[in-house]
Amino acid sequence: MAVSQPERVVGRRRLLRWGAALAGAAAARAATGAAGRTARAASVVDGQAWAMLVDITQCVGCRSCVFACQEENGWKGDPEGQQLDGERWTAVREVAVKGSEEPRFVRTECFHCLQPSCADACIVGALRKTAEGPVVYDAGKCIGCRYCMIACPFQVPRYQWDQTFPLVAKCDFCADRIAAGKQPACSEACPTGATLFGRRDELVEQARARLASEPDRYVQHIYGLEEAGGTSWLFITDVPFEQLGFARVGTTPPPQRTRAWMQRVPAIAVGIAGLLAAAHVIEGRGGNHA
């Protein structure tokens, strides 16, 4: 199908606006440099930061956590869904286990990494790790590049594709509730104690105590203690984590692997913007001579 001249002009203008925004953001990122990245990803928190411990052996799949999250954030999405989306920031997956008649129920949400690669990848600082524990999102800064979605080793952030003005969507750890001295809505709603809220050091000790008290029942591993450099969400279970769909991500914080590449983004973005601008000028001259 042939593209009309006005459509080409509009297309070029959109590309130029996008390029300018990206270049500006990239320049800002370059200006902030290492200090800016440190401020965002940081915030490598200590053991006194808030965290969650999920004991999968105690989850009955009632999805009270999901309903509480939906209500807290005003979302209308289906709480029964087992996958994250733009209006479901926490989900519960039912997993059949070989050799067991009972399924396991596995929570999925942002793990709030201690060194979050999403925050490190964000070129405008829309995502940042707080000293309290949550990785929070500033929609006012987001330009929709979705680098955070690519960078996340757990593939958690979602994009609101069906919205007129889409945003990145993920659990914010009920940061406002924590700041107000409350626990997150999901842990408050859990009727079995499968999701516990507390200081990370204390939850790690509690997890170790459970593993030690029933060594034949629990898998002797705390997922999130070291994965991806450590996360604010910790999990224990009686079924190997691989069988439950937990990702093998290693123990190196992803930002340490990706930072060298991400540091090249500003130059690449400025180059793209320059090429778009040059193409616009050349085509404009061609049109004037036609």
Side-chain angles (χ1 to χ4, degrees):
M1 179 184 294
V3 178
S4 66
Q5 180 65 16
E7 288 176 328
R8 286 201 299 270
V9 171
V10 172
R12 286 200 304 271
R13 287 175 177 172
R14 285 177 178 172
L15 285 172
L16 283 168
R17 283 199 295 270
W18 178 86
L22 185 57
R29 179 183 173 87
T32 56
R37 288 192 297 278
T38 300
R40 288 191 295 273
S43 341
V44 178
V45 296
D46 61 25
Q48 288 303 299
W50 295 110
M52 288 282 200
L53 171 60
V54 179
D55 187 337
I56 294 173
T57 69
Q58 297 190 12
C59 182
V60 296
C62 67
R63 293 183 171 78
S64 294
C65 53
V66 183
F67 284 96
C69 178
Q70 297 290 84
E71 182 177 354
E72 178 69 22
N73 294 288
W75 297 132
K76 306 298 184 184
D78 177 15
E80 299 292 336
Q82 298 195 32
Q83 301 295 327
L84 300 176
D85 64 29
E87 293 193 348
R88 189 185 304 113
W89 291 0
T90 186
V92 175
R93 293 183 292 111
E94 182 175 343
V95 182
V97 176
K98 186 177 181 180
S100 174
E101 296 181 355
E102 300 295 330
R104 300 299 186 272
F105 299 96
V106 181
R107 288 197 57 179
T108 304
E109 63 286 298
C110 174
F111 291 175
H112 299 273
C113 300
L114 302 188
Q115 298 183 56
S117 54
C118 60
D120 196 72
C122 182
I123 61 176
V124 294
L127 288 156
R128 65 183 175 86
K129 178 76 171 177
T130 68
E132 292 75 24
V135 175
V136 296
Y137 170 67
D138 185 342
K141 293 182 178 179
C142 182
I143 60 172
C145 69
R146 301 187 293 283
Y147 283 166
C148 55
M149 297 173 64
I150 300 171
C152 177
F154 303 107
Q155 300 180 347
V156 166
R158 296 295 191 269
Y159 201 59
Q160 297 174 326
W161 295 102
D162 58 340
Q163 300 294 317
T164 304
F165 301 103
L167 300 172
V168 170
K170 73 170 200 68
C171 161
D172 66 355
F173 208 161
C174 284
D176 290 343
R177 288 176 62 97
I178 291 177
K182 302 177 182 177
Q183 63 175 308
C186 60
S187 58
E188 185 177 77
C190 182
T192 66
T195 300
L196 297 177
F197 174 69
R199 302 291 184 183
R200 191 172 189 272
D201 277 353
E202 296 171 0
L203 292 179
V204 169
E205 289 307 310
Q206 184 166 166
R208 285 174 171 159
R210 293 190 186 190
L211 267 54
S213 66
E214 296 184 79
D216 294 333
R217 180 187 187 194
Y218 285 103
V219 173
Q220 295 298 302
H221 182 73
I222 303 171
Y223 191 94
L225 182 60
E226 295 182 335
E227 276 76 11
T231 67
S232 294
W233 281 66
L234 307 166
F235 297 81
I236 56 176
T237 178
D238 59 342
V239 175
F241 286 100
E242 304 80 52
Q243 294 186 29
L244 299 177
F246 282 77
R248 290 186 176 183
V249 296
T251 58
T252 302
Q256 292 184 14
R257 297 197 302 265
T258 60
R259 190 162 294 160
W261 284 99
M262 295 308 299
Q263 286 174 339
R264 301 173 185 175
V265 168
I268 295 172
V270 171
I272 291 174
L275 289 173
L276 290 171
H280 177 69
V281 171
I282 292 171
E283 286 201 28
R285 288 175 177 173
N288 292 335
H289 290 298

